[in-house]
Amino acid sequence: MSETSPARVLVANRGEIALRIIRAAHSIGWEAVAVFSDVDEDARWVELADDAVHIGASPATKSYLDIDAIVSAAKSSGCAYVHPGYGFLAERPEFSRRVAESGLTFVGPAANVIEEMGDKALARRTAERAGVPTVPGTEVLSDVEAAAAAAEDLGYPVLVKASAGGGGKGIRVVADADELREVIPAAQAEARSAFDDPAIYLEKAVLDARHIEVQILGDAHGNVIHVFERDCSVQRRRQKLLEEAPAPHLAPHLRDAITSAAVRLVAEIGYEGAGTVEFIVDGEEFYFIEMNTRIQVEHPITEEISGIDLVAEQLHIAAGRELSVAQEDVTIQGAAIQFRINAENHQQDFFPSPGTLTAFDAPGGPGVRVDAGVVAGGQVPPYYDSLVAKIIVHGRDREAALARGEQALSELHIDGILTTRDLHLELLRAADLRNGPVTTNWLENTWLPTSFPDSV
Ligand code: ADP
Ligand code: ADP
Ligand code: MG
């Protein structure tokens, strides 16, 4: 390649995040190469990319999880960079390692950093070293009796967590010792089959807490900044459904304490790239739970309140450039909310609802952003995550964002599959949410049983 040819990035993902990465690449004058499985041949992001490579059959293990196929696609299409998006291979250290060993640049941290922070039990230790409070808990446990003794000390209920877990999977709430003895072997087996790693550990269950996370950016020149926080407490099955930035009603001294703890942690490991440090917050107490060493599904709300293009920053960081902003220039402008539109039937325990989108009419207007990987007539395949689109609204304050959310969701029209759209519209009318803040149990334990009694 000549010196003047644009940088090329391989987008090792699908759906809305593939499109998001292509847009970021184009916005800074880079080219983007898509990959696709059989079922995704005619997808929107494949069309918008500068080039596209077929990497295999529809099941993810035969395409988007196939490291060999993806690395070959990057090389054969002349890419110097590989962006993993989220999910799939994004937090697999062996992927980052293989990309680097193939002479390509991984858009994200080096394999050893993913190993250290992507493993939750190891990350807890790093947090402690950095003086960041963690939830009372244990190291990795292999024997049931040791687990039972530790749980006795922590006090029930406890959570059994897979060190390699993610996406809300690999977490179980345990009420007493009998249940714990039963759950440990099953949790290990499940962790081995789902994450290829049987390691599990215990954490005290913090009831009635908020999920608050901090967006981080670090470059190769030693600069680390935070881009404030997001509140992701509206969850079902420990998976996020609606996210807000900034966190509503968060006292300024707590915001300062949480954001600086996140920066301290990341500085401790010399982190390069975008990342998210997750906490649970109970009154004045906050505890580190995990770090995601990748771009997050809910990153757009941070972009809306800060004006920073986080994905473009990721590409610049990978190319060795300094962060485009200094900490003192990062400010919160207004409030933003993201609604995850998933192909799910919330009336039936959020069961997936794949199929053909016979209609997809997106909302618009000031302060409304739609990040979607689909178009009308397209498919929501059964093989992957159920996220179809993200509706992101921004207003000069939270009231304005909530009002825009209602308008945008009422304009959104989807046919052919069931989605979480109606659930979100209903949620926006909930006084608990409007008054805020809510905790991570609120949706499942309080709101769903009263608003949709048939669904639980
Ligand atoms: P976020 O943490 O960005 O809010 P989610 O938890 O909703 O994202 O996960 C986004 C997608 O990534 C989901 O499809 C989820 O199953 C997947 N995912 C998250 N963490 C992991 C992991 N450790 N291993 C495999 N897939 C993961
Ligand atoms: P994942 O990797 O699947 O995102 P996390 O460790 O981030 O797993 O936990 C997912 C969710 O589970 C959190 O957002 C929170 O709602 C809940 N959770 C995690 N740890 C605790 C805890 N110790 N006590 C109470 N709730 C927790
Ligand atoms: Mg998490």
Side-chain angles (χ1 to χ4, degrees):
M1 250 191 285
S2 79
E3 271 180 8
T4 49
S5 61
R8 274 198 149 202
V9 58
L10 185 96
V11 182
N13 214 298
R14 66 177 303 282
E16 68 86 19
I17 194 64
L19 200 49
R20 174 73 192 87
I21 298 163
I22 294 166
R23 286 179 175 143
H26 287 167
S27 78
I28 60 167
W30 288 28
E31 289 179 353
V33 177
V35 293
F36 60 96
S37 68
D38 286 353
V39 74
D40 285 335
E41 185 175 0
D42 298 321
R44 177 90 177 123
W45 73 92
V46 174
E47 193 183 315
L48 285 189
D50 300 285
D51 199 352
V53 183
H54 176 246
I55 50 165
S58 302
T61 48
K62 300 204 165 3
S63 47
Y64 301 104
L65 289 171
D66 183 338
I67 294 181
D68 288 335
I70 289 173
V71 170
S72 314
K75 298 191 90 163
S76 69
S77 60
C79 289
Y81 298 88
V82 176
H83 194 308
Y86 55 70
F88 296 123
L89 298 168
E91 288 178 279
R92 298 269 184 92
E94 66 271 27
F95 185 50
S96 172
R97 185 171 294 121
R98 271 292 299 286
V99 168
E101 284 170 1
S102 308
L104 309 169
T105 301
F106 185 70
V107 182
N112 66 309
V113 175
I114 303 180
E115 254 150 18
E116 190 177 358
M117 292 315 288
D119 181 293
K120 293 183 185 183
L122 273 181
R124 284 168 53 81
R125 275 201 233 158
T126 311
E128 280 154 21
R129 255 202 332 273
V132 173
T134 56
V135 190
T138 69
E139 303 272 318
V140 169
L141 295 164
S142 47
D143 116 48
V144 177
E145 288 317 312
E152 217 54 57
D153 287 345
L154 291 172
Y156 290 95
V158 295
L159 299 186
V160 177
K161 285 189 168 186
S163 289
K169 294 173 211 106
I171 300 179
R172 295 167 187 237
V173 193
V174 174
D176 56 40
D178 286 346
E179 194 182 350
L180 187 76
R181 285 199 171 82
E182 206 177 289
V183 156
I184 297 266
Q188 285 170 323
E190 191 186 275
R192 175 175 293 144
S193 73
F195 311 111
D196 211 19
D197 177 357
I200 54 156
Y201 65 102
L202 302 184
E203 258 178 23
K204 188 170 177 60
V206 183
L207 305 171
D208 285 326
R210 303 170 71 180
H211 172 117
I212 294 181
E213 60 184 34
V214 179
Q215 177 67 53
I216 287 292
L217 289 171
D219 66 20
H221 306 273
N223 302 304
V224 175
I225 63 169
H226 71 79
V227 195
F228 293 100
E229 82 286 351
R230 299 180 281 260
D231 185 322
C232 316
S233 301
V234 180
Q235 303 184 350
R236 50 93 179 68
R237 291 203 212 107
R238 282 171 276 284
Q239 282 182 306
K240 301 156 188 168
L241 207 55
L242 176 158
E243 298 102 340
E244 293 191 52
H249 311 295
L250 183 66
H253 72 276
L254 260 182
R255 169 170 296 124
D256 286 348
I258 295 172
T259 51
S260 46
V263 169
R264 218 161 51 238
L265 172 63
V266 167
E268 168 87 19
I269 51 170
Y271 190 82
E272 277 177 43
T276 297
V277 184
E278 297 191 334
F279 297 92
I280 43 177
V281 181
D282 181 7
E284 288 288 307
E285 305 297 325
F286 63 91
Y287 309 96
F288 167 79
I289 50 172
E290 68 152 346
M291 177 166 184
N292 291 319
T293 56
R294 55 167 165 87
I295 195 75
Q296 204 100 352
V297 178
E298 56 275 22
H299 76 276
I301 52 176
T302 300
E303 297 185 322
E304 294 304 312
I305 62 157
S306 69
I308 298 172
D309 181 328
L310 294 170
V311 183
E313 287 299 318
Q314 286 188 294
L315 298 173
H316 277 147
I317 293 166
R321 290 184 39 177
E322 280 201 61
L323 297 181
S324 72
V325 276
Q327 187 68 73
E328 56 271 24
D329 300 324
V330 182
T331 54
I332 301 177
Q333 296 134 32
I337 309 173
Q338 171 176 283
F339 306 91
R340 293 196 191 194
I341 307 299
N342 295 327
E344 286 171 4
N345 182 0
H346 65 268
Q347 306 273 27
Q348 268 185 12
D349 204 20
F350 296 95
F351 201 76
S353 169
T356 302
L357 281 169
T358 49
F360 181 80
D361 301 322
V368 178
R369 164 174 168 181
V370 180
D371 280 18
V374 294
V375 289
Q379 289 289 317
V380 178
Y383 306 100
Y384 319 110
D385 189 60
S386 63
L387 184 69
V388 177
K390 308 187 301 200
I391 308 297
I392 301 116
V393 291
H394 182 216
R396 70 188 174 287
D397 55 24
R398 188 168 184 259
E399 271 304 303
L402 286 166
R404 281 207 167 126
E406 256 189 285
Q407 193 179 345
L409 288 166
S410 12
E411 283 181 29
L412 174 67
H413 173 68
I414 295 178
D415 257 341
I417 58 165
L418 295 169
T419 74
T420 48
R421 173 221 181 236
D422 293 357
L423 179 88
H424 281 301
L425 264 177
E426 204 60 42
L427 256 176
L428 279 180
R429 298 187 188 112
D432 288 347
L433 185 90
R434 294 198 80 93
N435 299 334
V438 298
T439 59
T440 56
N441 296 324
W442 172 76
L443 184 97
E444 271 174 339
N445 293 356
T446 307
W447 185 72
L448 266 181
T450 48
S451 307
F452 293 92
D454 295 339
S455 73
V456 284

